[in-house]
Amino acid sequence: MILINKYKGMLEQFVRYAKVDTRSDLHSVEVPSTAKQVDFLMLLQEELKELGFCDVMYDELTTFLTATIPSNLPEEHADVPTIGFIAHVDTADFNSENIQPQVFHHYDGQDVVLNQEQNIVMSVEEFPHLKNYVGETLVTTDGTTLLGADDKAGLVSIVQAGIYLLNHPEIKHGKIRLAFGCDEEIGKGAHRFDAESFGADFAYTLDSGEVGKLEYETFNAAGAKLVFHGTSVHPGSAYGVMVNALAEAAKFFNRLPKVEVPEKTKGYDGFYMLSQQKGDIGEVRATYIIRDHSKEKFLERKANFLQLVEEQNNTYDHPRIDCTIVDQYYNMYDILKEDMTPVELAKEAYRACGIEPVINPFRGGTDGCIITFKGIPTPNLFTGAENLHGQYEFVTLESMQKASDVVLKIIELTTDK
């Protein structure tokens, strides 16, 4: 049960953080991809120091800000595990300039007018989950930007749980480590994470959606980059000479299984997806993603993709398709299944907080995928946010409070056990 004013200032803190533009940039060669993420982390660093967190430090190499809540247990309990809680500060590829969060106290369950001037409405018919939040404090966008609750709702829930522990030293706990990083949305942040110096026995990202979600089965993921080399000549003299790279790229796309695409798969189904393509008759560059929960099927998918490239290259007088495949992350369950302690603790914490875990195979990945394979098992907890990455994104204060409650309960259960 959430206590009145248990997390003082949570709403104000979230709104303040949400207003800061921290969008990452997939096409940037800088590290991190945008300087505004570091600007935000510098502000957060000062706040955490003022609040009493220890060892607060931003690492330019890893681009993570880390902090500690020291153990307050006697030395004979030094074997209590160190737990980590992790969130990212960057927001997704959607307008993030001049974010103006709107707060609706005691939400009435009706359609929400986000922007009267532009007639932008978040309707209950289109988003029926809104009915789950009647009576709660609803935070939305103004219809022209995203909200950034992915992942600032997770960030705030972690910080607020930490503040509560610091203000209540009577609550006994082991060492707690916090980390806030950049570039999660573009898949580049966690690769820089220093698991050894973080020093947690296990950890949790707070980066999922609605209340109750718990994720520990993710995709294995790879990215493929193709370059189709054509021969561009004047169409009037093209006979027997022109090779249209646009047509060859289309030919390749049509050779992939028609039903193995995101819009026709679910559950444990894997897929291929053309995510970006541009070019002309002379050259086309295409980007695909390859996904599967099964490691065996993942390997088969990559091999099949390369075979299709080879077969099409064999139809030309010389190879015209260059292909590079790079693994992006792996299914964390392949590691977690060896010791499900972090998952079982999370399930127990959810239920102790009156929340039934909602467990489905996650059709994506989290920073926890990378961190798990770096040696720190890291399942993913809910933040309470919904409609992520767009103008209809929202979260409620009560959902963030529940996330903080779960963090505290996991710490309590770990200490008790």
Side-chain angles (χ1 to χ4, degrees), residues 222-229 252 256 272 284-290 301-313 316 319-326:
K225 293 187 180 296
L226 301 179
V227 182
F228 297 83
H229 300 281
F252 181 83
L256 290 166
Y272 304 94
V284 170
R285 292 180 177 269
T287 301
Y288 284 81
I289 63 173
I290 303 170
R301 284 188 181 282
K302 291 192 293 181
N304 179 57
F305 196 90
L306 288 171
Q307 182 178 344
L308 291 176
V309 171
E310 182 180 0
E311 289 174 357
Q312 189 160 330
N313 267 330
Y316 310 126
R320 288 181 174 270
I321 309 173
D322 299 331
C323 178
T324 304
I325 296 180
V326 176

Side-chain angles (χ1 to χ4, degrees), residues 322-336:
D322 299 331
C323 178
T324 304
I325 296 180
V326 176
D327 286 357
Q328 296 166 320
Y329 58 83
Y330 301 115
N331 185 353
M332 66 171 72
Y333 182 64
D334 289 341
I335 300 295
L336 285 168

Side-chain angles (χ1 to χ4, degrees), residues 150 195 247 284 313 380 387:
D150 178 10
V284 170
N313 267 330
N380 193 30
N387 301 343

Side-chain angles (χ1 to χ4, degrees), residues 5-17 47 156 159-160 163 397 400-401:
N5 293 327
K6 181 175 180 180
Y7 306 112
K8 294 179 180 178
M10 177 181 253
L11 178 61
E12 293 77 9
Q13 184 183 35
F14 173 74
V15 169
R16 181 161 48 87
Y17 288 176
E47 285 193 21
V156 168
V159 172
Q160 286 287 326
I163 293 170
L397 172 62
M400 292 189 289
Q401 290 174 327

